[in-house]
Amino acid sequence: MKRYLDLSASELANIEKAELLYAIRASEGRILVSECIGATQPLLNTITNAELAASQGADILLLNLFDVQAPHIAGLPEGIAPQETLRELKRLTGRVIGVNLEAVDPAYATEHNDFWQMTAGRAATVENAQKLYEMGARIVVLTGNPNNGVSNQAIADALKAIRDAVGDKLVLITGKMHGAGIVRESGSALISERDIALFVENGADVVLLPAPGTIPGMAQEKVAKLIDFTHQQGALAMTAIGTSQEGAERETIRQMALMSKMAGADLHHIGDTGWLGLALPENIFTYSVAIRGVRHTYSRIARSVLR
């Protein structure tokens, strides 16, 4: 058992759920999760956004808009079979890979033609979660993209089904970074202690909460209370920047990182739309340095994927 901070690519390649949770907990709030979109043109053309995030210090790579039924990550080498995309990304980056799935509430589902529109391969179903595990993912995040109508209750219901099917294999993270199309679950009403208790009861290993300063009403003190409650329920907590502030100035990112650390975050998430597809690369680096300094940041960047 090691801290995630000290794990190399070969150790992360075969890590199981219990070891992964221990490694995160033992790192004491110094693990950075970078959300990436593989469905768009990468910032560096022939290099995946996930590889760019890894180069700036990201520990865990979280794919958004990844369709299990039509797997594609732009920037991967040519000739990679669709079912091998996640394993190839894991091989190239030496990182643990996670994927978002969305639990759309039938009462709030919307039809729209926005960039974020839902597809069947992104739905929070047992079938999709099982496929992700088989493809190499070790983390599934149940959350929602803008305007798709994802509710906390729908997340909890989907979570229970997925936990019962593959909960012993996948780390399950649940929560919302923004309202995801439901006005009554936005701002300070985005998540409550009741929601957290329901998530944990239904199998959440980690509860996702908006980082302080990202959602109206989510001040550091409020987030700290919600994280304390999450820890009392026996789960870990991940703060998230999902409000395009991953494209803000570096000083803003430093403030959010430190407020999240002081609030008690075990994992720190930075979103995927600084430019569309990825946070500003310099902000990934800035966040990493803020929560753990240059030694661990450079160690993660410099450690060869052949180790």
Side-chain angles (χ1 to χ4, degrees), residues 25-76:
R25 191 185 298 272
S27 297
E28 298 180 286
R30 289 179 286 179
I31 299 303
L32 181 59
V33 179
S34 183
E35 191 171 2
C36 317
I37 297 175
T40 61
Q41 176 66 34
L43 270 65
L44 298 181
N45 193 25
T46 59
I47 300 171
T48 65
N49 284 333
E51 289 173 272
L52 179 53
S55 78
Q56 299 303 301
D59 299 290
I60 294 171
L61 303 170
L62 177 62
L63 302 185
N64 194 17
L65 302 185
F66 182 81
D67 191 312
V68 179
Q69 297 181 16
H72 174 70
I73 300 174
L76 283 180

Side-chain angles (χ1 to χ4, degrees), residues 136-266:
R138 290 299 174 264
I139 296 173
V140 163
V141 179
L142 304 185
T143 188
N145 278 305
N147 299 325
N148 284 339
V150 175
S151 70
N152 288 329
Q153 184 62 55
I155 289 175
D157 293 342
L159 170 64
K160 186 177 187 305
I162 291 172
R163 178 203 64 188
D164 291 344
V166 290
D168 59 333
K169 299 176 181 177
L170 288 166
V171 172
L172 301 177
I173 303 177
T174 56
K176 297 198 294 182
M177 308 168 196
H178 48 70
I182 301 181
V183 175
R184 69 174 179 82
E185 288 184 358
S186 61
S188 60
L190 185 70
I191 189 169
S192 66
E193 290 185 354
R194 177 189 172 278
D195 296 319
I196 293 170
L198 182 61
F199 290 161
V200 177
E201 179 184 351
N202 284 12
D205 301 299
V206 183
V207 174
L208 184 158
L209 298 156
T214 62
I215 297 294
M218 285 291 176
Q220 181 184 328
E221 294 78 10
K222 181 177 179 66
V223 176
K225 290 179 181 178
L226 292 172
I227 290 178
D228 283 344
F229 183 79
T230 299
H231 289 159
Q232 290 168 18
Q233 302 302 302
L236 299 178
M238 179 172 80
T239 52
I241 302 176
T243 47
S244 70
Q245 288 163 290
E246 56 267 34
E249 299 87 354
R250 290 190 185 188
E251 184 53 40
T252 300
I253 296 301
R254 289 190 188 97
Q255 285 182 285
M256 289 179 173
L258 291 175
M259 286 192 293
S260 295
K261 189 79 174 281
M262 288 186 283
D266 302 290

Side-chain angles (χ1 to χ4, degrees), residues 285-300:
F285 181 84
T286 296
Y287 202 123
S288 177
V289 172
I291 61 172
R292 59 190 176 188
V294 294
R295 184 168 70 90
H296 285 298
T297 297
Y298 286 139
S299 292
R300 179 57 65 198

